[in-house]
Amino acid sequence: MEYSKTAKKKLEALRATFTDEDGAIAHYPVCIAKTQFSFSADSTRYGSPEGFTIRIRDVILNCGSEMIVAIAGDMLRMPGLPKSPQAERITIVEGEIEGLS
């Protein structure tokens, strides 16, 4: 695994803030936000490719859901969107919004 400077700084801050003594987040699972098509972070490498490095771009602490999210590659944190979301078909025609469903 390879970490960006941002991810490294956030991990260091989490370690410094939540030590083993208080254990506030020690039980939080880690979720990796990556492409749904591959175990790698590369959406063009389908299935279970070999010989890849997951690059962690950012790390987010979700205290409400008690989860640490490692964001791989260029992933967005908007789950469940299709390849062509409805927002691409919303437009304004003569002052009226069209495409909402």
Side-chain angles (χ1 to χ4, degrees):
M1 226 180 268
E2 186 177 283
Y3 299 91
S4 71
K5 288 181 183 180
T6 299
K8 285 181 183 178
K9 285 182 183 179
K10 288 190 176 181
L11 284 171
E12 289 170 8
L14 286 174
R15 286 188 188 115
T17 304
F18 300 101
T19 64
D20 289 339
E21 292 172 8
D22 59 24
I25 64 170
H27 67 283
Y28 286 13
V30 175
C31 172
I32 299 178
K34 60 167 197 55
T35 178
Q36 64 190 14
F37 301 112
S38 175
F39 283 118
S40 76
D42 183 351
S43 62
T44 63
R45 298 185 69 182
Y46 295 105
S48 301
E50 294 181 12
F52 65 90
T53 300
I54 293 183
R55 289 169 180 81
I56 302 300
R57 169 175 58 88
D58 200 357
V59 176
I60 307 292
L61 175 62
N62 289 340
C63 288
S65 60
E66 295 189 351
M67 186 180 304
I68 299 168
V69 181
I71 301 174
D74 297 328
M75 298 307 302
L76 296 175
R77 293 184 62 214
M78 297 180 71
L81 288 180
K83 287 188 178 197
S84 175
Q86 183 64 28
E88 292 179 353
R89 293 179 286 286
I90 297 172
T91 187
I92 299 176
V93 177
E94 296 181 16
E96 296 290 320
I97 299 174
E98 291 187 358
L100 295 175
S101 58

